[in-house]
Amino acid sequence: MKIQRKSMRAFVLFASKAVTTHEFHLNDLPGSGGRMDLVARCVTQAIWLSNEIRKDVAVYCTLNGPPSPPKTVGFFSDKLKRVSPDERSIASWIKKALENRAEKEWKKVQEGIFVSGTDLISLVRELKNACNFELYLLHPRGEDIRKVTISSNPCFILGDHIGLPQEIEEEIERMGARKISIGPKEYLASTCIAVVNNELDRRGME
């Protein structure tokens, strides 16, 4: 699934424990979903403002929990319909996406939501080579984002509360990703996304 727009903002989340089955309970997202609450919050922070949806934002959540990882669910702000920014609503659409047999090719779940069996490295490689994104790896020991020039077509890659496996981190760096930091502390994944959005908003970047 290729992105057609010349300028777009993307976030890629590596969710270490998020389950890859639709058989999780919407009333127990942290437990039965393997921290699906965290995934849902990241989608909210990436796409929603106080009273509207951001334009030209893509969020890819690569789920790596049991029983059959990986699965990647993508949300595209320009096409989303009937999705509200609360955790339960977003998780319900992820649940629906996981009802599909996820192959390597992207499958449409509904307008603005797709699912695939692709892994994070393959996804990032596609975003870089086929979609012309510039890669930025969010990392506590990266360059200060306030001192970095961000391209008009950025893709920000981050891990969850556990972080990215070292081998994945190294492979992403070999692809040319620039390692950047949002500050001296380690923050929740959803907070990292919110801070990045805020920084780009302050620069007037769409």
Side-chain angles (χ1 to χ4, degrees), residues 38-48 59 61 75 90 94 193:
L38 181 155
V39 176
R41 283 197 295 273
C42 286
V43 174
T44 296
Q45 292 294 347
I47 291 179
W48 273 272
V59 189
C61 305
F75 292 80
I90 294 167
I94 295 174
I193 292 173

Side-chain angles (χ1 to χ4, degrees), residues 12-14 62 119-125 127-128 133-139 155-159 163-180:
V12 175
L13 171 71
F14 183 88
T62 301
D119 62 272
L120 185 135
I121 291 299
S122 298
L123 170 64
V124 172
R125 186 174 291 114
L127 293 175
K128 174 180 172 60
F133 277 101
E134 291 291 331
L135 305 180
Y136 300 89
L137 178 61
L138 293 177
H139 195 281
C155 174
F156 301 95
I157 304 147
L158 70 161
L164 287 171
Q166 184 175 348
E167 63 272 17
I168 289 180
E169 191 175 295
E170 291 172 352
E171 181 63 27
I172 290 171
E173 287 194 81
R174 283 194 288 271
M175 283 189 243
R178 190 168 184 175
K179 191 182 287 186
I180 62 173

Side-chain angles (χ1 to χ4, degrees), residues 73 93 96-98 100 107-111 113-115:
V73 182
W93 282 108
K96 184 174 180 62
L98 294 175
N100 294 272
K107 181 178 178 62
K108 183 177 178 179
V109 179
Q110 75 118 12
E111 288 297 325
I113 304 176
F114 295 79
V115 65

Side-chain angles (χ1 to χ4, degrees), residues 71-90:
K71 302 281 178 62
T72 297
V73 182
F75 292 80
F76 298 84
S77 65
D78 285 6
K79 301 293 185 181
L80 278 183
K81 296 179 180 178
R82 304 189 306 279
V83 183
S84 60
D86 62 281
E87 290 179 21
R88 187 183 177 92
S89 173
I90 294 167

Side-chain angles (χ1 to χ4, degrees), residues 30-66:
S32 69
R35 296 310 311 270
M36 197 65 74
D37 59 321
L38 181 155
V39 176
R41 283 197 295 273
C42 286
V43 174
T44 296
Q45 292 294 347
I47 291 179
W48 273 272
L49 291 163
S50 176
N51 57 358
E52 63 181 333
I53 290 179
R54 290 180 178 275
K55 297 179 180 179
D56 301 332
V57 175
V59 189
Y60 300 90
C61 305
T62 301
L63 315 178
N64 294 276

